[in-house]
Amino acid sequence: MLLLQTLVASYFTLEQRHSGSYREYHKMLENAERETSLTLRGWWFGRATHILNCMKFRGDASAADISRKLLHTRSKMKEWQTSMSSKVEKIFVPSINTHRGHPHDKPSFITDGWLLDLEEFSQKKLLENINPASLSEDDVVSRERTQFEAASLKIQNASHSLHDWFLHLGEERFADMYRGYFNLFPSEQILPDMYKLHLEGRSYLCFTLGVTFFEKILGDVIFSKVQKEDLVPTKLSEILVHPHLMEVLGPDIIFLLRTFIGPLHGLNLRNVVWHGFVSPSEFPDIYTSFFMLKILTLQPHLIPHLMSRRPSIDLFTLSSAHSLVSPNPLLGNLETEEFDQIRRLLSTSSFPIPKMETLWESAFIEFKIRPTEVRALNLIFPPLEHSLRRIFVATNNCATKLLTAENDSLYTTLDIILNQTFDDGPNRIFECLGDSISCALYDLFIWKEGHRVRDLVSHGFVDPYKIPRELADTILGIALGICMKFDTYNVDYQAYRKTLCPSLQRCLDFIEFYVPKYHPKMHLQNEITELYGKFQDYRKFCEKECSSPDWKKVPDYLEPIFAGFSSKYRRNAVFSENGKLETLKVRCNLPCSARELIQIGILRKLVSFCKEILEEVERNFNEISQMVRDRTAWKRHRKTHAHIQAQLGVFYWMVALHMTIVEDKFLNCDSDTSFSLKCYNVMGSIHSNSCRKEWSRALNMHTAFVCDKVGAEGVTMLTKKEMISFWGDLPSYLQSLKDAAAEMRRYETSEAFWEHIENGEIPDQTKSLGGQDVDERLKDVEDE
C-alpha cells in the first residue's frame, strides 16, 4: 500500500512538473511573439530552448515532439537586428554611392605635410550646404541636431575619399611620414600598433583603443591648465565643451571633434562603439582612417599644452584590481580543444547577441594568441554590456527604445542596467542573473571601492602595458561564466559540468560560488572580524593589567540583556575562554534597498567606534602607566590611572554588548535603523569623550544606555535631556526580537512557506530574516 501511494505521488509530481514546464515554455513563446525587436525575440526563444532541453533531460515528453520544437526555437534564437535607431543608422552608416578616392592619389584636403587641412573642416565649410531657413532660432537642440547631421555627411564623404589612400601607405611609409607625431600618446608604439591593426582589417579594435587614449589626452590638456584632477570632467561630452580646451583648439576644431566623437546628435562614435551598439561587421572602417589622421593633425596643437599629464594607472599596483583576481587561473593558456568548446558555448548560449559572437571570439583570440590584455578587455566590455542591456530590457518589459542607440535620448548604460531600481520599482534583471553573477558584475562595474575597471579602461586611464594577465583572465572567466548560466544545454549543474573542459569548469565554479569583494555586507563582515581581533587583543590586555579576575564575569546588569539575544548570535570570541572566532555567514544579496545600505553604513560606523574606543582606552592607560612607573605622574594622573584600571572590564563588556547588537542586526538583515542610530549616538558620544579623556562622563553615558529606566542611579554627569537621549530601552528592543522570531516561526509552519519551497522560490521572509544561506535556513526549519 505504501509503495502504491509513493508511485501515485511520484506520477502526479511528474505530471505537475511536466505541465508546469509546458506552461513556462508557452509563456516564453508568448513573450517572443509580443516583441517587435528581433533581438529581444531571440532572447525569449533562447529561454524557450533552455526549457525544452530541461524537459528532454528529464524525459518529460516524447523525443520527437521536443526535437521538432527545438529546431524551431534554435533558429529563432539567432535572429537579430541593428541596435541603432533609424535616425542614428542614417547618420552612422555611409552611403554606398559616395565616391571613394584612388589609393595612389592624395586627397585634396590632405596638406603637403600629410595632415588634414583643417580649413576644409572648419565649421563654416562643414555647414556650407545647410539652408539657413531650416535652422530654428528658438529650438537650440533642433538647430544643433541639424548642424551635426550636415557635418556628419561631410565627414563621411571625406572619410571615403582618404580611406584607400591612407591604407595604401603601408607600415613603413606610415612610420616614415608620421614618426614625429607619435609622441602624443604615452608610448610612441601605440600609433604604429593601431595602424597595423587597421591594415589587418581590425578597424573596430583600432578605434576602441585610439579613442580611449585620445580622450585621456584631451583631459590632460585641461589638467595642465587647472592642476587639479577633480576639476577635470569625466565624460567626453563635457571635456569637449570645457573652456580651457576651447581656448587651446578653437571653436572649429571643437565642432569637428564633437561631430565625430561627441554628443548624441552627431556620429557619437565613441559611445556607439564602447557601449556595444555596433559589431565589427557594422562598423565602417573609413571612420578609423579619418580618426587616425585627425589625431596626427592635432598633435602640434596639443603637445605645447601638455606640460603635465595625469599619470596612467598601473593595475599591477592597484590593490582593488588584485582583489578581483581569481586565486587560480581560470582560462590559463587556452588549448585548441578548449577554445573550440568556448566557440560552441558562444553559439549555444542565449547570453551573447548573435551579431556579437565574432567580437566575443576575438577577445579570447587576443587573450590566447597575442598576450595583449588591453585588447582583450577592449573587445569584451562592449558586447558584455549590450548582452546585459538585452536582458534588462526583456526582464523589465520596458520600451524597445532602451535597447537601441538614439540621437534624442541618453543611452541605457551599465549604471542604469545594474541600478537597483527601475521606473519606481525593483530592477528585474537581478532575479534573472542571480546573486553570484550580480555581485560579480557589481564588483567589476559599480562599487567604487573596486575602482570600476571597465571605466578605467574605457576612458584611457590605464597604462595599456601594465594590466595583469590574471585580471584579464578573471574578467573573461566571469563573462564565460555568465554565458554558461544561460547556455541552453545547462539543465543540470553536475551533469552539465561533466561535459565541460577544465577551463570552463573553473569559470563555472568561480561564478557559481563567487565570493563578493566590495559588497557593503562584505566590508562590514571584514570590519567585524577585524574588530574581534582587536577585542581579543584587549582581552589579553585586561588579563595583564586587571588585578582581579572578576572583570571576566558578565556584569549583573548586563546578564539579562545578553540572555535576551538568541544563543546563535553569542560569538565564542565574547563568551568563551578560548577566544575562538567563528566564521560569519552572510548572504550578499542584490538589489540592496536604500534602508539596508543606510543600516550597513551605520553599523560600519558603530564597529569603527568600538574599535577606536578600545584603542583609546589602551593607549591612554599605557601612557599614564608609563608615567607612574617613571615616577613622573602627579596625583591627578595616579587617580586617573586607578580609575581607568578599575573600569577596564566595563569598557570590555560595553564593546561586547555593542558587538552583539551589531552582529544580531547584521545576521538578521534587520533594516530598522531606529535602534542602530541610538547605539551610534551613544558610542559616538562615548568615543568623543574618550578622546577628550573625560572617562567618568563616557561611563555615565554607557550606564544611561543600559539602565532599566531614565534617570537611574549613578548617572550624575548628564543632564535630563542627555539621559533621555542616551537611554537604550533595551527591554523593549529585546521584546521586539522575540516577537520577530515568533512571527518567523509561525510563518515557517504555514502552508504558504512550503508552497514557496515546492515551487523552488525563496520566501521573502527567509530572504530578509536570518541572512544566512537559504539551504542552511531550511535545514533549521526542518529540525525545528
Side-chain angles (χ1 to χ4, degrees):
M1 185 65 182
L2 180 61
L3 178 61
L4 180 61
Q5 287 177 341
T6 304
L7 290 172
V8 170
S10 301
Y11 170 77
F12 281 112
T13 302
L14 184 64
E15 284 294 306
Q16 184 180 18
R17 186 171 61 185
H18 171 72
S19 60
S21 298
Y22 257 111
R23 280 197 302 271
E24 193 173 358
Y25 167 70
H26 286 293
K27 181 181 177 182
M28 298 302 167
L29 291 185
E30 289 174 6
N31 290 339
E33 296 301 332
R34 186 176 64 245
E35 294 291 353
T36 56
S37 164
L38 293 180
T39 305
L40 288 179
R41 290 183 67 185
W43 162 257
W44 291 118
F45 277 119
R47 304 307 292 151
T49 303
H50 180 256
I51 294 170
L52 288 174
N53 280 328
C54 289
M55 294 171 65
K56 186 176 182 180
F57 176 79
R58 295 194 301 251
D60 285 357
S62 66
D65 182 41
I66 287 185
S67 298
R68 178 175 55 80
K69 288 182 170 65
L70 275 172
L71 288 174
H72 171 72
T73 56
R74 280 175 185 161
S75 63
K76 294 288 187 181
M77 173 182 160
K78 293 299 177 183
E79 292 181 341
W80 61 273
Q81 65 193 53
T82 181
S83 298
M84 295 179 285
S85 69
S86 56
K87 292 179 181 178
V88 172
E89 190 176 15
K90 179 182 176 182
I91 302 173
F92 188 86
V93 180
S95 171
I96 58 175
N97 299 321
T98 306
H99 170 70
R100 296 187 77 129
H102 194 277
H104 296 287
D105 297 337
K106 185 181 73 170
S108 59
F109 46 81
I110 298 295
T111 67
D112 293 337
W114 311 106
L115 303 174
L116 292 175
D117 184 354
L118 293 176
E119 289 294 328
E120 292 294 323
F121 295 96
S122 65
Q123 187 169 352
K124 182 179 178 180
K125 284 279 188 179
L126 291 173
L127 303 179
E128 62 184 358
N129 294 332
I130 290 184
N131 181 3
S134 65
L135 298 177
S136 171
E137 295 183 4
D138 299 327
D139 191 346
V140 177
V141 174
S142 176
R143 181 170 70 252
E144 192 176 64
R145 183 185 295 118
T146 304
Q147 290 176 336
F148 280 135
E149 288 176 1
S152 298
L153 293 175
K154 283 272 191 176
I155 292 173
Q156 281 181 13
N157 294 334
S159 302
H160 265 297
S161 300
L162 63 81
H163 176 65
D164 289 339
W165 168 81
F166 186 65
L167 287 183
H168 188 69
L169 294 176
E171 286 186 70
E172 289 186 11
R173 194 177 173 203
F174 173 81
D176 291 339
M177 291 166 56
Y178 298 110
R179 182 170 285 108
Y181 300 90
F182 293 167
N183 62 345
L184 180 64
F185 286 160
S187 168
E188 294 194 6
Q189 192 57 37
I190 290 177
L191 278 168
D193 287 348
M194 286 173 56
Y195 185 77
K196 184 179 180 181
L197 288 172
H198 193 26
L199 278 179
E200 293 172 351
R202 293 187 285 167
S203 304
Y204 178 97
L205 175 57
C206 173
F207 180 81
T208 60
L209 289 168
V211 76
T212 58
F213 299 135
F214 187 62
E215 179 180 346
K216 182 177 183 296
I217 291 297
L218 296 179
D220 286 345
V221 171
I222 299 172
F223 176 73
S224 296
K225 300 284 186 181
V226 298
Q227 292 298 312
K228 286 187 178 181
E229 193 162 354
D230 293 344
L231 299 179
V232 180
T234 55
K235 294 184 178 180
L236 180 59
S237 58
E238 296 172 356
I239 290 175
L240 290 175
V241 295
H242 196 280
H244 288 308
L245 193 64
M246 181 74 74
E247 178 187 340
V248 170
L249 296 179
D252 285 340
I253 295 178
I254 290 296
F255 181 78
L256 174 63
L257 290 174
R258 294 186 71 214
T259 302
F260 195 69
I261 56 175
L264 295 170
H265 306 318
L267 290 168
N268 198 19
L269 287 175
R270 189 268 174 201
N271 289 327
V272 170
V273 170
W274 256 104
H275 289 298
F277 290 106
V278 293
S279 63
S281 61
E282 295 175 295
F283 181 75
D285 53 1
I286 62 171
Y287 291 142
T288 303
S289 296
F290 185 85
F291 179 59
M292 288 196 68
L293 269 171
K294 184 172 62 175
I295 291 173
L296 294 165
T297 302
L298 294 182
Q299 188 265 5
H301 298 262
L302 296 172
I303 284 292
H305 301 279
L306 286 170
M307 289 80 71
S308 56
R309 305 190 188 204
R310 294 167 294 174
S312 296
I313 296 174
D314 179 356
L315 289 183
F316 280 101
T317 62
L318 197 65
S319 60
S320 61
H322 289 283
S323 299
L324 292 171
V325 170
S326 167
N328 301 303
L330 299 180
L331 300 178
N333 295 322
L334 275 183
E335 301 298 332
T336 303
E337 297 78 8
E338 294 178 316
F339 193 83
D340 291 340
Q341 192 165 26
I342 289 175
R343 189 181 287 111
R344 287 195 297 272
L345 169 64
L346 296 175
S347 176
T348 59
S349 174
S350 59
F351 183 64
I353 295 175
K355 70 171 181 177
M356 293 290 192
E357 285 178 17
T358 55
L359 193 54
W360 282 80
E361 191 175 323
S362 298
F364 294 102
I365 290 174
E366 287 292 342
F367 183 77
K368 171 181 168 56
I369 300 175
R370 308 174 185 88
T372 51
E373 290 74 18
V374 69
R375 294 183 183 181
L377 296 182
N378 271 255
L379 290 171
I380 198 64
F381 282 139
L384 178 59
E385 177 177 344
H386 198 43
S387 297
L388 291 170
R389 184 181 292 111
R390 177 168 71 161
I391 300 178
F392 167 79
V393 174
T395 53
N396 286 290
N397 193 25
C398 47
T400 307
K401 190 175 181 180
L402 296 180
L403 186 63
T404 55
E406 305 286 335
N407 69 347
D408 56 0
S409 61
L410 296 175
Y411 296 166
T412 310
T413 58
L414 282 169
D415 289 336
I416 298 173
I417 294 168
L418 296 178
N419 193 31
Q420 305 204 36
T421 59
F422 173 70
D423 207 14
D424 297 328
N427 187 349
R428 301 293 180 188
I429 192 173
F430 297 107
E431 297 176 8
C432 184
L433 295 176
D435 280 341
S436 60
I437 291 177
S438 300
C439 287
L441 292 173
Y442 257 65
D443 281 349
L444 276 178
F445 300 134
I446 303 299
W447 299 127
K448 291 183 179 179
E449 292 91 338
H451 287 285
R452 304 173 66 151
V453 174
R454 184 257 179 203
D455 287 354
L456 295 180
V457 173
S458 65
H459 292 291
F461 293 116
V462 170
D463 187 327
Y465 303 106
K466 294 183 179 178
I467 298 178
R469 185 166 179 80
E470 298 80 9
L471 177 62
D473 174 273
T474 300
I475 292 173
L476 291 170
I478 289 173
L480 282 178
I482 303 174
C483 289
M484 284 184 277
K485 158 80 173 179
F486 296 105
D487 187 358
T488 55
Y489 289 105
N490 185 1
V491 296
D492 177 81
Y493 177 78
Q494 293 300 336
Y496 177 69
R497 189 180 185 280
K498 291 177 181 177
T499 66
L500 302 175
C501 62
S503 291
L504 289 182
Q505 285 182 353
R506 291 192 293 269
C507 295
L508 181 64
D509 293 342
F510 183 71
I511 198 68
E512 188 74 19
F513 306 105
Y514 184 78
V515 178
K517 309 298 187 300
Y518 300 109
H519 194 290
K521 287 186 178 180
M522 288 302 296
H523 281 300
L524 178 54
Q525 174 175 316
N526 294 336
E527 287 164 10
I528 289 175
T529 303
E530 185 181 340
L531 171 59
Y532 272 92
K534 178 60 189 174
F535 189 72
Q536 290 309 301
D537 292 341
Y538 186 82
R539 182 188 183 102
K540 294 174 183 176
F541 168 74
C542 289
E543 289 173 349
K544 175 184 174 184
E545 299 294 344
C546 291
S547 54
S548 170
D550 292 344
W551 69 271
K552 294 182 180 181
K553 182 179 177 298
V554 180
D556 293 340
Y557 67 90
L558 287 179
E559 190 70 57
I561 296 174
F562 279 121
F565 290 99
S566 168
S567 59
K568 185 179 293 184
Y569 304 117
R570 288 191 174 197
R571 297 287 296 280
N572 286 342
V574 178
F575 293 98
S576 73
E577 290 294 332
N578 59 20
K580 184 180 177 182
L581 182 64
E582 295 176 1
T583 303
L584 280 172
K585 289 185 178 180
V586 293
R587 179 173 174 265
C588 293
N589 60 300
L590 284 170
C592 288
S593 66
R595 287 177 61 87
E596 204 171 352
L597 291 174
I598 292 171
Q599 176 76 299
I600 292 172
I602 295 171
L603 295 181
R604 288 182 68 181
K605 193 63 181 174
L606 190 52
V607 167
S608 176
F609 284 149
C610 289
K611 183 169 175 282
E612 290 172 15
I613 286 171
L614 293 181
E615 291 173 347
E616 194 67 29
V617 171
E618 188 173 346
R619 185 178 63 83
N620 273 275
F621 183 79
N622 286 334
E623 286 179 1
I624 300 176
S625 296
Q626 187 63 43
M627 293 172 65
V628 172
R629 286 193 293 270
D630 295 342
R631 298 189 177 184
T632 58
W634 292 5
K635 182 179 179 180
R636 59 183 176 85
H637 291 139
R638 291 193 295 273
K639 185 177 179 182
T640 301
H641 180 267
H643 177 63
I644 297 177
Q645 187 176 31
Q647 302 299 331
L648 289 177
V650 177
F651 283 105
Y652 175 87
W653 288 107
M654 174 199 303
V655 172
L657 171 62
H658 286 277
M659 286 164 63
T660 307
I661 292 171
V662 167
E663 188 168 312
D664 182 72
K665 285 200 166 284
F666 182 41
L667 291 178
N668 272 317
C669 297
D670 184 357
S671 59
D672 182 10
T673 59
S674 56
F675 188 72
S676 303
L677 283 171
K678 188 176 285 290
C679 295
Y680 168 84
N681 181 35
V682 171
M683 291 302 279
S685 299
I686 292 173
H687 173 259
S688 60
N689 278 271
S690 299
C691 292
R692 294 195 300 266
K693 302 180 182 180
E694 297 180 2
W695 304 108
S696 297
R697 183 172 169 79
L699 292 169
N700 265 226
M701 292 173 180
H702 170 64
T703 305
F705 177 71
V706 298
C707 63
D708 293 336
K709 60 182 180 179
V710 178
E713 294 182 6
V715 183
T716 59
M717 304 186 70
L718 301 180
T719 64
K720 183 71 172 179
K721 184 177 180 180
E722 286 176 325
M723 285 190 279
I724 295 173
S725 173
F726 292 138
W727 183 49
D729 193 12
L730 286 169
S732 298
Y733 172 69
L734 294 174
Q735 185 59 45
S736 69
L737 294 182
K738 292 179 182 178
D739 294 342
E743 178 62 30
M744 187 65 192
R745 283 194 293 273
R746 281 195 295 272
Y747 170 70
E748 288 171 345
T749 56
S750 67
E751 294 182 3
F753 175 83
W754 294 107
E755 285 177 6
H756 284 136
I757 300 304
E758 288 173 5
N759 293 333
E761 301 172 3
I762 301 175
D764 289 339
Q765 289 90 333
T766 306
K767 285 182 182 178
S768 59
L769 292 170
Q772 57 204 114
D773 184 83
V774 173
D775 293 335
E776 183 183 333
R777 184 70 181 134
L778 293 179
K779 186 177 183 303
D780 291 344
V781 174
E782 290 170 357
D783 291 343
E784 290 173 8

